[in-house]
Amino acid sequence: MEKKNRIADGIPHTPNLGISLIPIVAIFVLLYGSLRIFHLDVQIPLIFASIIAAFIAVVILKNKWDTIEKGIIDSIQNAMQAILIACFIGMIIGSWIAGGIVPSLIYYGLKILSPKFFLVTCLLVCSIVAVATGSAWTTAGTLGVAMVGIGSGMGIPPAVTAGAVVSAAYFGDKMSPFSDTTNLAPAVSGTTLFAHIRHMVYTAGTSYALAIIGYMVLNTRFTGEASSESDISAVLVSLKEQFVISPLLVLPLLLLILMICFKIPAIPGLVASMLLGVICAILVQGQGIEEIGTVLSYGYSCETGNKALDELLSKGGLQNMMWTVSLILCSLTFGGIMHSSGMLSCIANHILKVAKGTGGLITATGITAVFVNLVCGEQYLSILLTGRMYKDEYEKRDLAPQNLSRTLEDFGTMTSPLIPWTTCAVAMSTYLNVPTLDYLPYSFLNLVNPLVAIVFAFTGFTIRKRSQVAPEDILD
């Protein structure tokens, strides 16, 4: 009788676990078919999965369309800062390349390569580039390819070098303010970009130190020979021919780090970074106003004659970020429907039944993020869905949102290249020409980071209450 009255009164049904999992299963099937069979962009299966989720929400669960539409709009509204930052990121990358900042970072990074500690230096160099560009895929697909070739010349198996490249690339992917996932995680969790990055330093920094030790030990198994010095020299010569290279051009990166440390708001900090790139492009590299305008809009086009280098440095621009923006919008649409219909809450409540204490909550959050990676094959969904599922529970337990955003990256971002059917793993294995399961055992940082996060969670180390963080670092 009560159920009939609820229907008569137009009250939405409470979803059960079976109903709630249908859109998750649907998105897995659609992603698999679209990415593996039809080779479509990830936005298309996300749109169709959103249609399925909306159908269930409105037709089966009897939600009003106005409620679902408001959920979509609210979801997008919560991530507007991330969307704006993504637009600025495109302009920053273009201006930093045109200004010689990124080329100088690559140049001096390659100069410190040591055959005796190749894996460690590979980790350091690729980390510098990944942080500077905010792109794991670009780092692995260009500099990473070169590192695998150089390592092979030194007698180091490709899988070993690929593991170091993947570790470095995803360290940069999660620590760079230019990365889309680094912007999405705090936006979903309700904290600021730089507060999120500062909080990640603890788990990521510890994991990075452990990874360095691991690669130092592993490197002793191989004899370093400088047989590939000519490859490095060719890149260095190409860089100096195309750009003015100077140690002073490393300063903008140091200034960006200082802005993070001094809690400068994200958008003003990124605007300042973009202007630094423009100034360097005009005063140091001799670029004209028209050229700078084109770079800011469409990105930098590099033509050194070195294919790997040209691919690395031909990127950026506002228009080139529209693909990322569209992906964020499609992901947020799906997440908004799942959240407003109660399906996300249903799944989360079943998991939370076994999540006792702060350690249990953070571990459950991490396991959920990995599960979404396994099911959906996409790190954006891992961050988005998991964040929306647990955000209210973190607030209810008086935990600062930085704890949630950090956990999303420690698990969601870091495990995405280790699962063979995810888009990240496909990209890594394709770029580096090494199967995912071959480089997986050597991706020390990606493997260690979730374990470090669990240890920190259960010991309470660096776990912050809402009252222990600055009010301006909590957005809601």
Side-chain angles (χ1 to χ4, degrees), residues 51 61 81 87 115 153 156 190 223 229 254 307 314 335 424 439 466:
I51 293 172
L61 298 179
Q81 186 189 50
C87 295
I156 299 174
T223 56
E229 286 185 358
L254 299 179
K307 184 179 178 181
S314 295
C424 293
Y439 69 66
R466 293 176 72 90

Side-chain angles (χ1 to χ4, degrees), residues 24 41 68 93 99 128 140 199 215 252 254 306 355 412 459 466 472:
I24 301 296
D41 283 340
I68 300 303
I93 293 174
I128 291 170
H199 201 55
Y215 288 123
L254 299 179
N306 185 308
T459 60
R466 293 176 72 90
E472 60 267 23

